């Protein structure tokens, strides 16, 4: 279980950022993404690789590796990575993203703004928390409802205060929306913090292996179930909804 993994969350933060690399079942995808990340890591940035019952990537010896003996699901894998984070900023990376440059520094700098709760290159906008449209800004930062989970950054302190992640999210779609709303939510009647889609990060992006390798009927079922989990907690919270173009 994720709770069996020793936590650093009560320890003083150290370093510039911690990248949590959530390894997939695609060995080549893992290799490409992790190697590219290593070539562009800023100083004092550590990497925690979480292998949720998948083969760890080649060359992982220079990083911290946590392997599970059973498949725990995406929510649990994310909790494991957060528990092992050393730095004040956590950057979560899915291997479907291949960094072509420094993807960490701009996200860390954006999170120096206390009004920003979560940031990444891909935003998700919604007028009603039911229908979401992908937003990838071309020029400047854009406020969105949520940040896409393939690459997202947030504060370790917020994850400690507002977590853990709901481990009912075994499949990834919807988990990013739920987590973004958790981090943004200041309570009814109070202005929420911001989710920001940030342009200019150098990367290549593909469909995650878990999406490609899951049969269509099964991934549709799991995605619907995740949507219900979002609505169970945030139904009626239209103060958290930000339509595309606002």
């Amino acid at each position: 279980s994720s709770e069996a993994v020793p936590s650093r969350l009560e320890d003083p933060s150290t370093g510039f950022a911690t990248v949590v690399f959530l390894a997939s079942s695609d060995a080549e995808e893992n290799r490409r993404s992790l190697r590219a990340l290593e070539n562009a890591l800023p100083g004092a940035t550590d990497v925690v690789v979480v292998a949720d019952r998948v083969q760890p990537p080649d060359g992982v010896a220079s990083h911290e590796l946590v392997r599970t003996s059973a498949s725990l699901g995406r929510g649990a894998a994310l909790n494991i990575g957060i528990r092992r984070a050393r730095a004040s900023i956590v950057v979560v990376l899915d291997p479907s993203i291949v960094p072509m440059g420094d993807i960490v520094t701009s996200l860390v700098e954006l999170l120096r703004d206390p009004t920003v709760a979560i940031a990444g290159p891909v935003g998700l906008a919604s007028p009603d928390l039911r229908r979401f449209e992908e937003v990838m800004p071309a020029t400047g930062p854009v406020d969105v409802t949520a940040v896409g989970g393939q690459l997202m950054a947030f504060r370790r302190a917020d994850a400690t205060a507002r977590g853990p992640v709901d481990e009912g999210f075994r499949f990834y779609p919807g988990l990013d929306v739920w987590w973004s709303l958790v981090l943004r939510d200041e309570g009814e009647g109070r202005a929420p913090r911001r989710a920001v889609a940030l342009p200019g990060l150098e990367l290549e992006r593909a469909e995650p292996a878990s999406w490609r390798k899951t049969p269509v009927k099964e991934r549709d079922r799991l995605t619907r179930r995740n949507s219900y989990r979002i609505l169970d907690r945030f139904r009626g919270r239209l103060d958290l909804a930000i339509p595309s173009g606002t």
Side-chain angles (χ1 to χ4, degrees):
S1 72
S2 63
E3 292 183 352
V5 177
S7 174
R8 292 191 173 109
L9 296 180
E10 299 301 321
D11 298 342
S13 61
T14 61
F16 184 65
T18 293
V19 176
V20 174
F21 184 90
L22 299 177
S24 78
S25 58
D26 187 322
E28 176 60 19
E29 180 181 76
N30 289 333
R31 185 194 64 79
R32 288 186 66 233
S33 179
L34 187 59
R35 181 172 296 177
L37 174 68
E38 292 167 342
N39 290 335
L41 275 180
T45 299
D46 66 303
V47 178
V48 176
V49 176
V50 181
D52 183 25
R53 208 182 182 188
V54 297
Q55 184 66 30
D58 294 337
V60 77
S62 59
H63 308 301
E64 178 171 345
L65 170 65
V66 183
R67 301 178 67 176
T68 68
S69 57
S71 179
L72 302 182
R74 185 72 163 202
L78 181 52
N79 277 332
I80 288 170
I82 292 171
R83 287 172 70 86
R84 298 304 294 165
R86 299 177 186 271
S88 61
I89 302 298
V90 179
V91 179
V92 178
L93 179 64
D94 185 274
S96 57
I97 296 283
V98 178
M100 306 305 292
D102 180 1
I103 61 170
V104 173
T105 299
S106 295
L107 295 173
V108 172
E109 290 176 350
L110 184 59
L111 283 162
R112 298 190 193 283
D113 181 344
T115 69
V116 177
I118 186 167
V122 180
L124 300 168
S126 173
D128 54 12
L129 304 186
R130 296 172 183 269
R131 295 170 290 121
F132 290 87
E133 180 181 344
E134 191 173 280
V135 176
M136 291 191 71
T139 54
V142 174
D143 282 21
V144 289
T145 304
V147 167
Q150 289 174 274
L151 175 56
M152 57 182 179
F154 47 85
R155 298 176 188 84
R156 188 182 77 155
D158 288 340
T160 302
R162 302 185 180 214
V165 172
D166 182 350
E167 298 189 3
F169 286 94
R170 295 188 59 85
F171 196 45
Y172 80 91
L175 173 57
D176 45 12
V177 172
W178 183 91
W179 186 232
S180 294
L181 297 179
V182 167
L183 295 175
R184 291 181 58 216
D185 186 16
E186 296 291 276
E188 292 191 64
R190 299 182 62 186
R193 293 190 298 173
R194 300 158 60 206
V196 177
L198 184 68
L201 298 184
E202 299 178 77
L203 54 86
E204 292 180 354
R205 178 173 172 240
E207 284 188 342
S210 59
W211 182 264
R212 300 193 311 270
K213 295 185 176 185
T214 301
V216 173
K217 287 185 178 180
E218 178 66 3
R219 73 190 188 196
D220 287 348
R221 182 187 71 82
L222 293 171
T223 299
R224 283 195 302 272
R225 189 174 76 171
N226 288 354
S227 297
Y228 298 146
R229 302 189 82 85
I230 296 168
L231 292 174
D232 283 346
R233 177 154 178 172
F234 294 105
R235 190 186 310 273
R237 293 295 309 278
L238 294 183
D239 56 312
L240 294 168
I242 299 178
S244 179
T246 59

